Amino acid sequence: MRRKQKIVAKAQQLNLSQQEQEEWQKLREHQKQAQAQAASKLADHLTTFNDGVIAIIITIVVLEIEAPIADRAYGNFVEQIGIYLISFFVVANFWYEMHKNFSYFIWKADKWTMICDFCFLASLSLVPVMTKWLMDHLSMLAVVNFGIVYFLVQTFELLTERMGMRASLPHIHSLSQIMSRVARTRIVWLLVLNLLFIGISFINPRFGMVLYLAFPIINFIAPEYDRRQRSKGEQHEEK
């Protein structure tokens, strides 16, 4: 009632007619309702936006493959398909990780979540460029730069999860502290692992490229295995 009185007083100050006052009140009520739903709607829109951008990224990568003009170019054609599969698994794995984040942890999003998510997509959009570089000239520098981009995407994916959980659960401070420690630990491990892969790429670029194929596949399978094991453990404890 007090809020309604404030709206009426504001409308009277603007010298609005009775009909205009009613329309003004409807507008304010609509804005109030929109503000209450803004965080959840933003999370839904980010999910849809991620799906569209990632689909385009995968399409761009496959378009970089050149058909063999002569029989002697067939070997290079097969190699390009292999490199494409690396990028496909990398991008598909990140899509799956973000799908899990928005399904299980992020049901509300604020501006920081959006910024981290856009940085995630921006760095992920560099994968086609890095893939083209690998296709044209498989070298130590190409694999190292691919690794740097891969690490940036991982970092922004983790930050998006962190910011999204903070927006979804703003009042659980103990959980926020735990997630902050987990996020820092994961970033350190990702940095160490990527530095190891990059170091290997200096010695053997082709083997470094293979590692960047194996890691997303392992990362794709392992979380589901761990989740099933934890679920079985919880059921066993209940019994």
Side-chain angles (χ1 to χ4, degrees), residues 162-222:
R162 175 73 183 89
M163 294 296 105
M165 290 190 65
R166 191 176 69 175
S168 301
L169 303 168
H171 304 298
I172 306 181
H173 300 293
S174 58
L175 178 61
S176 179
Q177 293 175 355
I178 293 173
M179 292 307 300
S180 295
R181 290 196 296 268
V182 172
R184 288 194 295 268
T185 302
R186 287 178 61 186
I187 289 178
V188 171
W189 276 108
L190 289 174
L191 178 60
V192 171
L193 192 62
N194 277 274
L195 288 176
L196 176 62
F197 287 178
I198 290 173
I200 293 173
S201 299
F202 275 101
I203 303 173
N204 191 330
R206 191 174 298 276
F207 184 57
M209 185 183 66
V210 171
L211 288 176
Y212 279 112
L213 169 63
F215 184 71
I217 296 176
I218 295 173
N219 193 38
F220 186 84
I221 297 174

Side-chain angles (χ1 to χ4, degrees), residues 30-46:
H30 174 74
Q31 290 178 340
K32 180 182 177 181
Q33 184 179 4
Q35 289 175 354
Q37 300 175 352
S40 58
K41 284 187 176 181
L42 180 58
D44 292 339
H45 290 165
L46 286 177

Side-chain angles (χ1 to χ4, degrees), residues 64-78:
E64 296 294 342
I65 300 177
E66 298 179 359
I69 300 176
D71 293 342
R72 62 177 179 275
Y74 186 76
N76 183 55
F77 174 68
V78 173

Side-chain angles (χ1 to χ4, degrees), residues 61 82-91 94 123-124 126-135 137-154 194 197-198 201 205 208-216:
V61 173
I83 296 173
Y84 159 72
L85 291 176
I86 294 175
S87 297
F88 180 89
F89 279 112
V90 169
V91 176
F94 278 118
S123 54
L124 188 64
L126 295 175
V127 170
V129 180
M130 298 298 108
T131 303
K132 177 63 175 176
W133 191 357
L134 290 173
M135 289 178 178
H137 183 61
L138 178 58
S139 63
M140 174 269 295
L141 188 60
V143 179
V144 168
N145 279 273
F146 187 93
I148 293 173
V149 170
Y150 185 68
F151 172 72
L152 289 175
V153 180
Q154 288 177 310
N194 277 274
F197 287 178
I198 290 173
S201 299
M209 185 183 66
V210 171
L211 288 176
Y212 279 112
L213 169 63
F215 184 71

Side-chain angles (χ1 to χ4, degrees), residues 17-32:
S17 65
Q18 182 64 30
Q19 183 178 1
E20 289 174 333
Q21 290 180 22
E22 293 176 358
E23 293 178 353
W24 175 265
Q25 183 174 346
K26 289 180 180 179
L27 174 63
R28 297 296 298 173
E29 293 299 328
H30 174 74
Q31 290 178 340
K32 180 182 177 181

